[in-house]
C-alpha cells in the first residue's frame, strides 16, 4: 500500500514540479512517510520511475485488442483506425506518465534506455506483423514501421503539450490512419 502511494504521489509531484526538480524527500512527504521508508521500497527516484514506466506500458498494451502485430498483419484499415483511436483515447490517462518518463529520460540514462527498448519492441511487433503478412520488401519493413510509430509518438507528444488546438481529433486521426495504411498496408490514403 505504501509502495503504491509513493508511486501515485511521485507521479503527481512530477506533473507539478517536473522530474528533475522533484526530490525523494518531496515524494516521501507527499506520501506521509519518510526518506527511510521511501528507500525500503525503491533504491532511487530512477527506480521508482522505472516502475511508473512499467505501469504505463501495461496501460498501453492492456487495451490492445487485437494486439498491434495482428493489426499490422491484417492490413485492415478498420483495425488500423480502431488501434489509433484506442491509443488517442488513452492519452488523457497516460499524459502524466509520458511527460514524466520523457523528462526522466533526459537526465536518467537507465530511463532513456528503457524508453528506447520500449520503442524498439513496439516497432519490432509492427515489423513482425509485416513479416507475417509478407507485405512489402523485407528491407523496407523496419523503416516503414519506424516511420508509422514515429508519427503516432509525435502526435501523442504534441497532444500532451497542446491538446487538439492545432487540428481537430477526427482530422488528425484520419490523416494518421491514411499514413499508416500507406506505410503498412496495401491500402493507401483516402483523403
Amino acid at each position: 500500500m505504501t509502495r503504491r502511494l509513493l508511486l501515485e504521489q511521485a507521479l503527481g509531484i512530477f506533473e507539478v514540479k517536473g522530474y528533475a526538480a522533484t526530490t525523494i524527500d518531496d515524494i516521501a512527504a507527499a506520501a506521509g512517510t519518510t526518506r527511510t521508508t521511501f528507500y525500503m521500497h525503491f533504491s532511487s527516484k530512477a527506480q521508482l520511475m522505472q516502475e511508473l514506466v512499467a505501469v504505463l506500458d501495461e496501460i498501453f498494451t492492456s487495451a490492445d485488442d487485437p494486439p498491434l502485430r495482428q493489426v499490422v498483419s491484417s492490413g485492415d484499415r478498420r483495425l488500423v483506425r480502431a488501434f489509433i483511436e484506442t491509443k488517442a483515447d488513452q492519452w488523457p490517462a497516460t499524459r502524466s506518465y509520458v511527460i514524466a518518463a520523457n523528462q526522466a529520460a533526459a537526465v536518467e540514462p537507465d530511463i532513456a534506455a528503457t524508453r528506447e527498448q520500449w520503442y524498439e519492441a513496439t516497432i519490432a511487433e509492427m515489423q513482425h506483423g509485416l513479416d507475417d503478412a509478407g507485405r512489402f520488401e523485407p528491407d523496407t519493413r523496419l523503416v516503414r514501421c519506424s516511420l508509422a510509430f514515429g508519427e503516432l509518438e509525435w502526435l501523442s507528444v504534441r497532444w500532451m503539450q497542446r491538446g487538439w488546438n492545432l487540428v481537430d481529433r477526427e482530422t488528425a486521426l484520419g490523416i494518421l490512419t491514411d499514413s499508416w495504411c500507406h506505410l503498412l498496408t496495401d491500402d493507401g490514403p483516402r483523403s
Side-chain angles (χ1 to χ4, degrees), residues 114-186:
T114 297
R115 184 180 64 176
E116 187 60 28
Q117 289 167 356
W118 181 76
Y119 288 167
E120 288 176 7
T122 303
I123 292 166
E125 281 303 298
M126 296 171 77
Q127 186 175 355
H128 292 316
L130 287 182
D131 293 343
D132 294 346
R135 207 164 29 252
F136 304 113
E137 292 299 318
D139 62 341
T140 69
R141 293 175 186 160
L142 176 60
V143 172
R144 288 173 176 281
C145 296
S146 298
L147 289 170
F149 178 76
E151 291 172 349
L152 178 64
E153 178 66 14
W154 183 86
L155 184 59
S156 75
V157 169
R158 291 298 289 173
W159 178 88
M160 290 176 193
Q161 294 169 345
R162 300 183 147 210
W164 293 113
N165 295 333
L166 299 177
V167 65
D168 71 272
R169 175 188 163 106
E170 187 61 30
T171 301
L173 299 185
I175 292 170
L176 186 57
T177 300
D178 283 349
S179 183
W180 272 45
C181 287
H182 174 74
L183 289 166
L184 304 174
T185 76
D186 296 322

Side-chain angles (χ1 to χ4, degrees), residues 19-178:
Y19 179 84
T22 300
T23 67
I24 289 171
D25 289 330
D26 293 334
I27 297 166
T33 190
T34 65
R35 172 184 275 269
T36 301
T37 301
F38 177 94
Y39 283 118
M40 289 171 54
H41 296 279
F42 303 101
S43 63
S44 65
K45 184 170 70 167
Q47 185 199 18
L48 178 143
M49 189 66 233
Q50 287 281 18
E51 192 154 325
L52 287 173
V53 169
V55 170
L56 174 63
D57 183 55
E58 175 61 27
I59 292 168
F60 275 140
T61 57
S62 67
D64 292 353
D65 184 27
L68 179 56
R69 179 178 182 159
Q70 189 177 336
V71 169
V72 173
S73 177
S74 76
D76 184 326
R77 174 181 280 284
R78 290 168 299 154
L79 288 179
V80 169
R81 176 60 186 246
F83 179 86
I84 290 170
E85 286 182 1
T86 298
K87 294 300 123 189
D89 291 345
Q90 292 176 313
W91 294 344
T94 59
R95 182 181 180 276
S96 298
Y97 291 90
V98 171
I99 290 171
N102 286 339
Q103 290 174 355
V107 295
E108 303 281 5
D110 289 346
I111 303 296
T114 297
R115 184 180 64 176
E116 187 60 28
Q117 289 167 356
W118 181 76
Y119 288 167
E120 288 176 7
T122 303
I123 292 166
E125 281 303 298
M126 296 171 77
Q127 186 175 355
H128 292 316
L130 287 182
D131 293 343
D132 294 346
R135 207 164 29 252
F136 304 113
E137 292 299 318
D139 62 341
T140 69
R141 293 175 186 160
L142 176 60
V143 172
R144 288 173 176 281
C145 296
S146 298
L147 289 170
F149 178 76
E151 291 172 349
L152 178 64
E153 178 66 14
W154 183 86
L155 184 59
S156 75
V157 169
R158 291 298 289 173
W159 178 88
M160 290 176 193
Q161 294 169 345
R162 300 183 147 210
W164 293 113
N165 295 333
L166 299 177
V167 65
D168 71 272
R169 175 188 163 106
E170 187 61 30
T171 301
L173 299 185
I175 292 170
L176 186 57
T177 300
D178 283 349

